[in-house]
């Protein structure tokens, strides 16, 4: 890229950041999840009940494992205003890192111009935008997971970062299963040991809170929020809205089980059978987001590496279409005040569950192509076989901060 392209991309990013900052100031964004993290850190520092409090006007409780609360202690060291600035600036920087990692993951040239332009546009992707508005930690977790999985299999400590991410928020643990299913036993066991280490550290520092979380709170999905609202883009949210019921029950359980099996089969077939690691990782991420009881819209920051992979494959039109879905915010255009989420007309259902439908479509498309042998014509080497010298280098209605 020429210096001029870099300069233009830099200006685009500056305009994007100024516009986002102005919007946040104008709307008086509360960054509610940051307040919950701060309260968790304070509970650890003060020795109070970690799962017995609620904060903010929306009465949000702590929902993460005790290990995460330990990591949140430093959030109590800063005044609230400064903490919000740190989270906002940090998330913008993490988006730039995610764009860089996604380019390397997809084998795109991660030059300054592309990273700057990608960050400028990425700020307005709804999952990224919501992550910044809530002061969430989704971007740091996806960066940690993507960085770890993109390393070659003989990299020292591969899996450690993944285990830490799973210790903070349990959903990334599905990638441990992915590593084991695809024969990366050493990396999988390293990740598992790392995850267990976070549990043990939590038990050592917060024994009572650990017993409370692992025997009780982990099963209370209602603490996180209402599963049927449009904020939830998992299969459970989709089926709850389609069936007009708060509890989709066995229908969702069967669909989630089948999706979990099919998704992991596709991931293994992609990584082992086709040697296409990018599909394997993305299929695992899509599976995790679909089968999780609750996947708030801001959890779907995996859209960034998905778009990068589509661009790398030369599927520009599909990449633009996927980008349009995550920029379009159609889930907020349907009626969603009170319980209107449960009373949507049939033609509104697709608008209410765009991310789940994209994930299901991706898994179906990937499964069909792998089964018929239609792997990308310009297939690229996966990080597990890459040369050693060149590694890939919910809203305010959710009732929880997950």
């Amino acid at each position: 890229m020429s210096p001029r392209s870099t300069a233009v991309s830099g200006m685009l990013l500056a305009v994007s950041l100024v516009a986002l900052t102005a919007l946040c100031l104008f709307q008086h964004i509360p960054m509610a999840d940051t307040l919950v993290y701060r309260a968790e850190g304070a509970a650890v520092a003060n020795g109070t009940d970690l799962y017995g409090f609620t904060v903010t006007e929306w009465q949000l409780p702590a929902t993460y494992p005790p290990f995460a609360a330990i990591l949140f202690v430093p959030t109590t060291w800063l005044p609230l205003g400064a903490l919000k600035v740190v989270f906002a600036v940090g998330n913008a920087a993490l988006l730039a890192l995610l764009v860089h990692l996604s380019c390397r993951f997809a084998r795109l040239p991660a030059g300054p111009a592309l990273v700057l332009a990608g960050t400028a546009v990425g700020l307005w992707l709804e999952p990224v935008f919501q992550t910044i508005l809530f002061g969430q930690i989704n971007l740091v977790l996806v960066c940690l997971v993507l960085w770890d999985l993109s390393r070659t299999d003989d990299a020292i400590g591969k899996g450690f970062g993944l285990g830490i991410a799973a210790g903070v928020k349990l959903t990334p643990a599905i990638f441990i299963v992915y590593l084991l299913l695809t024969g990366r036993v050493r990396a999988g066991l390293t990740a598992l040991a790392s995850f267990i280490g976070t549990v043990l550290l939590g038990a050592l520092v917060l024994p009572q809170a650990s017993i409370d979380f692992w025997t009780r709170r982990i099963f209370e999905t209602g603490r996180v929020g209402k599963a049927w609202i449009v904020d939830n883009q998992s299969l459970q949210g989709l089926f709850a809205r389609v069936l007009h019921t708060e509890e989709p029950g066995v229908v969702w359980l069967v669909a989630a089980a089948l999706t979990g099996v099919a998704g992991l089969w596709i991931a293994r077939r992609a990584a082992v059978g086709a040697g296409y690691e990018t599909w394997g990782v993305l299929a695992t991420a899509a599976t995790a987001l679909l089968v999780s009881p609750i996947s708030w819209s801001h959890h779907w920051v995996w859209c960034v590496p998905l778009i990068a992979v589509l661009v790398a494959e030369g599927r520009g039109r599909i990449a633009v279409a996927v980008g349009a879905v995550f920029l379009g915010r159609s889930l907020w255009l349907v009626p969603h005040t009170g319980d209107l989420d449960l009373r949507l007309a049939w033609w509104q259902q697709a608008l209410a569950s765009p991310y789940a439908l994209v994930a299901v479509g991706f898994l179906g498309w990937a499964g069909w192509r792998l089964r018929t042998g239609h792997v990308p014509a310009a297939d690229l080497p996966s990080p597990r076989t890459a040369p050693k010298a060149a590694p890939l280098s919910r809203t305010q209605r959710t009732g929880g901060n997950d």
Side-chain angles (χ1 to χ4, degrees):
M1 293 288 182
S2 67
R4 182 176 180 180
S5 298
T6 301
V8 171
S9 297
M11 291 177 60
L12 179 62
L13 177 58
V15 171
S16 189
L17 286 170
V18 169
L20 180 61
T21 301
L23 178 61
C24 290
L25 293 176
F26 179 75
Q27 294 290 337
H28 302 289
I29 302 301
M31 298 181 71
D33 287 336
T34 298
L35 301 182
V36 179
Y37 301 151
R38 181 183 175 88
E40 291 186 42
V44 176
N46 299 330
T48 55
D49 185 1
L50 178 58
Y51 299 107
F53 69 81
T54 58
V55 293
T56 78
E57 61 185 280
W58 304 285
Q59 300 298 303
L60 304 180
T63 59
Y64 292 175
F67 173 71
I70 297 171
L71 297 182
F72 293 146
V73 169
T75 63
T76 64
W77 301 345
L78 293 174
L80 183 56
L83 180 64
K84 289 183 177 181
V85 171
V86 168
F87 263 75
V89 173
N91 271 325
L94 284 166
L95 173 60
L97 176 59
L98 178 58
V99 172
H100 176 74
L101 290 172
S102 297
C103 289
R104 296 182 66 186
F105 175 67
R107 297 299 180 89
L108 287 172
L114 182 58
V115 173
L116 291 172
T119 304
V121 176
L123 287 170
W124 301 98
L125 293 168
E126 193 269 350
V128 175
F129 183 80
Q130 292 290 82
T131 291
I132 295 174
L133 261 57
F134 286 118
Q136 259 282 345
I137 58 172
N138 303 301
L139 288 169
V140 68
L141 294 180
V142 71
C143 283
L144 190 57
V145 172
L146 194 60
W147 166 78
D148 204 358
L149 291 176
S150 296
R151 297 194 294 158
T152 54
D153 290 340
D154 57 355
I156 296 175
K158 177 168 181 174
F160 179 80
L162 172 56
I164 296 298
V168 174
K169 188 181 256 186
L170 300 178
T171 309
I174 193 172
F175 288 101
I176 300 177
V177 179
Y178 168 71
L179 287 175
L180 296 174
L181 285 176
T182 53
R184 272 73 67 85
V185 177
R186 186 181 70 173
L189 292 180
T190 299
L192 181 59
S194 176
F195 170 65
I196 293 174
T198 68
V199 176
L200 294 178
L201 178 61
L204 179 65
V205 177
L206 301 168
Q208 190 58 48
S210 294
I211 294 173
D212 189 15
F213 180 82
W214 296 107
T215 63
R216 178 185 172 193
R217 305 299 183 178
I218 191 174
F219 304 107
E220 295 177 350
T221 55
R223 282 174 58 85
V224 180
K226 301 178 179 67
W228 45 268
I229 59 180
V230 293
D231 313 52
N232 183 19
Q233 290 291 300
S234 72
L235 284 177
Q236 180 173 216
L238 183 154
F239 278 106
R241 292 186 290 272
V242 168
L243 299 175
H244 307 291
T245 176
E246 295 183 11
E247 298 290 341
V250 68
V251 175
W252 164 65
L253 290 174
V254 171
L258 292 175
T259 301
V261 172
L264 289 175
W265 177 86
I266 291 169
R268 184 183 186 281
R269 182 74 178 268
V272 177
Y276 204 58
E277 183 81 355
T278 51
W279 280 17
V281 171
L282 290 175
T284 305
T287 301
L289 290 165
L290 286 171
V291 304
S292 176
I294 290 180
S295 293
W296 300 132
S297 68
H298 55 73
H299 291 171
W300 291 78
V301 289
W302 279 96
C303 63
V304 176
L306 171 60
I307 293 171
V309 168
L310 291 172
V311 171
E313 287 189 10
R315 303 185 182 281
R317 292 182 180 178
I318 299 178
V320 169
V322 171
V325 170
F326 286 97
L327 286 168
R329 294 162 168 74
S330 68
L331 66 160
W332 304 120
L333 299 179
V334 300
H336 57 273
T337 302
D339 66 349
L340 292 180
D341 316 59
L342 289 175
R343 291 186 272 161
L344 297 174
W346 65 267
W347 58 271
Q348 296 173 317
Q349 294 295 340
L351 297 175
S353 304
Y355 305 164
L357 294 177
V358 167
V360 170
F362 170 75
L363 289 178
W365 176 66
W368 174 79
R369 296 191 70 201
L370 289 167
R371 189 172 182 83
T372 58
H374 290 90
V375 295
D379 198 2
L380 299 169
S382 71
R384 63 184 303 181
T385 58
K388 188 174 183 179
L392 293 178
S393 188
R394 143 187 19 141
T395 69
Q396 297 170 355
R397 302 189 305 132
T398 59
N401 73 304
D402 187 38

